Amino acid sequence: MPDHIPVLSADCANCFGLCCVALPFARSADFAHDKPAGKPCVNLREDHACGIHTELRAKGYAGCTVYDCFGAGQRVSQVTFGGRDWRTGGKAQARLMYEVFPVVRRLHELLWYLTEALGLDAARPLHPELRGALEHTERLAEQEPEELAALDPAAHWHEVAALLLRASELARKGVGRKKGRDRRGADLAGARLGGADLRGVSLRGACLIAADLSGADLRHADLIGADLRGADLADADLTGALFLTQPQVNAARGGPGTRLPGSLVRPAHWTASR
């Protein structure tokens, strides 16, 4: 294990608002206006803070409330670029920061998944390989800006994903029903799955947009990469769900009866919207 693994959640106070500048978004139900990559959001203040942070959903920026950089923002701002921001470092440095940020974000997401996998007792036989992958991913994230900008994390992602799948299979072994356990990549948008027994089911990369999962049993289901935007999780049990992230939870709808893994927090808008 490396001596230091960075905090794998956003610390906006130590970031230069990189997600509000580097990333593009299009006017939609999630964003109130178009913004190209490299242009600051109209709501970004001079101190790099959001001017409408407490009103994002009310102002039409629900997409911002479901985004998490997994700690990449503060790392790029304070470590990779040593505290030199995009406003004062010149155009060349700003462009480089915009290129580096999504790469480091991808690596930090992998660090988060690997850390989660290392917490699975059932995956203990894979812990040496998982630690090795975590250390390698951390070394990649430690590189200089120019090296990071030239890095294509896709091959590394594919290698780590295969390892995470093996960890998932060990963790889900013997859990729930045997039939229909693999729904990887399934198109379940709008599916009526209220009260369904989905224990131990692999929903990796599944499209669950606006799906009815109310009262569903998702204990130990693998949800890595599943799209839960607008999914109804009212009274659903996600205790021990594998690789479920805070952004996924934030994108869904839930209520007082929704049971979440202990590492995740209940979104404030769940209470407000139900």
Side-chain angles (χ1 to χ4, degrees):
M1 186 77 70
D3 294 333
H4 171 69
I5 291 296
V7 174
L8 299 176
S9 60
D11 177 6
C12 299
N14 285 301
C15 176
F16 298 135
L18 290 177
C19 64
C20 307
V21 184
L23 306 180
F25 54 73
R27 185 173 183 176
S28 62
D30 291 323
F31 296 102
H33 73 283
D34 294 322
K35 190 194 83 63
K39 181 179 179 179
C41 174
V42 295
N43 299 304
L44 187 65
R45 302 188 320 210
E46 288 296 318
D47 63 356
H48 306 296
C50 175
I52 59 168
H53 181 70
T54 60
E55 304 175 279
L56 283 167
R57 285 185 169 268
K59 297 284 189 180
Y61 294 87
C64 297
T65 68
V66 304
Y67 180 81
D68 194 308
C69 69
F70 293 95
Q74 65 260 27
R75 180 176 201 144
V76 172
S77 298
Q78 304 299 335
V79 179
T80 311
F81 285 87
R84 303 184 305 274
D85 69 48
W86 52 270
R87 293 187 192 274
T88 59
K91 291 183 178 180
Q93 178 180 288
R95 285 194 295 270
L96 187 57
M97 290 187 83
Y98 305 155
E99 293 175 18
V100 165
F101 173 62
V103 173
V104 176
R105 196 268 183 194
R106 190 74 160 159
L107 294 173
H108 268 228
E109 185 177 2
L110 279 179
L111 287 173
W112 191 93
Y113 287 135
L114 287 164
T115 301
E116 287 289 297
L118 281 166
L120 300 174
D121 286 339
R124 192 168 295 277
L126 295 177
H127 281 192
E129 288 181 72
L130 289 165
R131 289 192 188 94
L134 187 145
E135 290 169 358
H136 180 46
T137 305
E138 172 63 11
R139 286 194 298 271
L140 290 175
E142 288 176 340
Q143 293 182 107
E144 295 298 318
E146 292 77 12
E147 295 174 304
L148 285 164
L151 177 68
D152 181 0
H156 181 58
W157 181 278
H158 182 74
E159 180 180 337
V160 172
L163 180 58
L164 292 174
L165 176 58
R166 291 165 59 198
S168 169
E169 289 171 343
L170 287 175
R172 293 183 297 109
K173 187 176 182 180
V175 177
R177 59 186 184 180
K178 292 183 178 180
K179 186 177 181 181
R181 282 170 51 84
D182 191 351
R183 302 303 306 274
R184 283 181 288 175
D187 184 358
L188 298 171
R192 297 179 180 178
L193 297 168
D197 180 3
L198 298 171
R199 289 174 297 160
V201 172
S202 177
L203 291 164
R204 296 166 68 93
C207 177
L208 289 159
I209 295 174
D212 177 11
L213 292 165
S214 58
D217 192 342
L218 288 151
R219 286 176 291 173
H220 300 287
D222 186 343
L223 291 166
I224 192 169
D227 193 338
L228 293 172
R229 285 178 293 170
D232 186 356
L233 298 178
D235 299 319
D237 190 349
L238 294 108
T239 306
L242 305 178
F243 308 119
L244 177 66
T245 66
Q246 192 65 53
Q248 287 173 300
V249 172
N250 292 349
R253 296 181 294 118
T258 306
R259 280 155 286 182
L260 295 172
S263 60
L264 302 179
V265 299
R266 192 174 303 275
H269 69 269
W270 280 11
T271 301
S273 64
R274 299 190 69 83

